[in-house]
Amino acid sequence: MIATADIVRELRAAGLAGREDVVLEPLTGGVSCDVWKVDTPTGPIVVKRPLPQLRVAAEWLAPVERGTSEVRWLRRARAVDPAIVPEVLAELPGHAFAMRFLPGCPVWKDELTAGRVDIRFAAEVGRSIAEVHAATANSAHDRDAFPNDAMFRALRVDPFFLHVAQKDTELAPALYALADDLVSRKVALVHGDVSPKNILVNAGAPVFLDAECAVYGDPAFDPAFCVTHLLLKAVWLDDIRLVESAAALVAAYRAGISWEVADDLLLRAGKLTAGLLVARVDGKSPAPYLTDAAHRRIVRDQARALILAPQPVDVLVANWKRTDP
Ligand SMILES: Nc1ncnc2c1ncn2[C@@H]1O[C@H](COP(=O)(O)OP(=O)(O)O)[C@@H](O)[C@H]1O
Ligand SMILES: [Mg+2]
């Protein structure tokens, strides 16, 4: 446990706080980090410091260097489009960093859960992710700046795909092939955690947070990850607008694919989505809200069929069932 006095001293050393009393207000959300809001003379900021181990599952390997990956991603994405990320203000000891706090911006997940579904916003999410992928595609410089393969394996490939593969002989061949393909493909800068809980709604435009899993890899992972969340929520809340949001996200993302054949990417994204959907019901990190056995079965049955007979992600979304037939 790191004393907050250390943080205050570091903020003063970085010139972000003066001699005044500094109050650290914990922000809700995280399992992998301490995140505080701090009022400073120049406005509110956020300080984020990775924990050596995730709070959810002790065996998840999560080196604190992921704080550095996050800062790098935030800076790189800001160079692509300054509207889609908070400004990083300073890097602090212990792989911590400070960024500007965005006031009055709800978390997208809370908006969706409250029934405020804006399909144009989902499209903006897709457009923005594609923008970062397009700007970083086939770039030796970006590839060298994100040598995070071990972390991506530990936080994404192992818990989501291999964990299920190891105990499910029917799905194993497809899931191992999917994992092999995912780790070997080096195409663009991937955020790695594009979940509605990591996106702020800033007057109808998305702001992306929490890029601790950033890696130079397969861009298909990002739309697949976010579509998975929307499809799970569509079953949970039985809300067709969440499926329409997923469709809008995919369509906008597709329009931004400039670096490869769009159909190839959409098929990879469909396979990844199917694998992620199964992982969210039977894997190591199940969706916490999908507790109803019937909901889990609806997701499981569709996802298993899709792993064995993959569909491009746009087709997968168009055919998604929220309820029993
Ligand atoms: N720059 C920011 N402006 C406003 N709120 C923020 C900012 N950064 C983080 N938050 C809030 O803190 C929460 C946790 O931040 P996040 O980076 O997602 O950390 P964790 O890794 O702990 O999930 C977010 O869901 C959001 O509510
Ligand atoms: Mg988060």
Side-chain angles (χ1 to χ4, degrees):
M1 177 69 195
I2 291 148
T4 50
D6 292 346
I7 300 280
V8 173
R9 191 168 347 97
E10 288 157 11
L11 287 175
R12 289 193 173 124
L16 290 171
R19 301 258 36 102
E20 72 284 350
D21 283 347
V22 178
V23 179
L24 302 184
E25 177 195 328
L27 290 175
T28 52
V31 292
S32 65
C33 284
D34 282 323
V35 187
W36 295 282
K37 181 182 175 209
V38 185
D39 282 313
T40 76
T42 54
I45 66 171
V46 174
V47 177
K48 185 167 178 185
R49 185 194 293 268
L51 296 166
Q53 272 194 328
L54 303 196
R55 285 191 181 113
V56 269
E59 70 271 36
W60 280 33
L61 190 118
V64 286
E65 286 79 9
R66 65 193 192 282
T68 305
S69 329
E70 174 158 18
V71 167
R72 283 201 190 146
W73 187 89
L74 290 169
R75 290 202 160 124
R76 185 66 187 92
R78 201 169 163 85
V80 176
D81 182 347
I84 63 170
V85 275
E87 183 189 359
V88 173
L89 300 169
E91 288 183 57
L92 305 169
H95 302 280
F97 68 98
M99 62 183 145
R100 210 170 287 291
F101 178 84
L102 281 96
C105 297
V107 174
W108 190 25
K109 179 183 179 182
D110 296 339
E111 293 295 284
L112 296 175
T113 307
R116 290 186 290 273
V117 181
D118 177 355
I119 291 166
R120 279 169 315 176
F121 182 83
E124 268 305 294
V125 170
R127 191 196 63 75
S128 306
I129 314 169
E131 195 180 22
V132 176
H133 293 168
T136 57
N138 303 314
S139 154
H141 182 266
D142 287 314
R143 182 177 173 159
D144 292 346
F146 291 87
N148 306 338
D149 294 30
M151 197 144 56
F152 190 75
R153 274 175 200 252
L155 292 173
R156 290 290 174 263
V157 182
D158 292 356
F160 287 101
F161 303 116
L162 300 186
H163 185 80
V164 175
Q166 277 150 12
K167 56 175 193 171
D168 192 316
T169 48
E170 191 188 15
L171 300 185
L175 289 175
Y176 282 125
L178 188 155
D180 281 348
D181 189 75
L182 180 59
V183 297
S184 63
R185 214 172 271 276
K186 300 286 160 206
V187 178
L189 178 57
V190 173
H191 176 285
D193 201 1
V194 182
S195 153
K197 74 177 165 37
N198 291 327
I199 300 173
L200 299 178
V201 182
N202 185 11
V207 175
F208 296 85
L209 305 170
D210 214 357
E212 291 173 60
C213 294
V215 71
Y216 203 80
D218 186 354
F221 187 82
D222 280 340
F225 202 80
C226 198
V227 162
T228 298
H229 280 283
L230 294 171
L231 296 183
L232 291 170
K233 286 182 177 59
V235 172
W236 175 42
L237 301 168
D238 188 12
D239 188 339
I240 192 170
R241 295 172 305 162
L242 293 165
V243 182
E244 291 166 355
S245 295
L249 188 157
V250 170
Y253 182 86
R254 186 198 174 107
I257 302 174
S258 57
W259 59 90
E260 65 175 273
V261 176
D263 286 344
D264 293 352
L265 189 148
L266 294 198
L267 182 56
R268 297 203 305 281
K271 293 178 183 178
L272 290 165
T273 302
L276 290 165
L277 285 164
V278 166
R280 290 297 188 182
V281 285
D282 292 325
K284 211 169 183 178
S285 177
Y289 49 82
L290 223 60
T291 49
D292 186 314
H295 290 160
R296 297 163 66 82
R297 185 174 37 71
I298 291 164
V299 172
R300 182 184 298 117
D301 289 354
Q302 295 184 82
R304 293 185 73 89
L306 286 161
I307 289 173
L308 298 172
Q311 293 177 351
V313 69
D314 51 345
V315 178
L316 183 162
V317 169
N319 292 334
W320 187 247
K321 307 273 183 297
R322 308 180 314 278
T323 53
D324 280 321

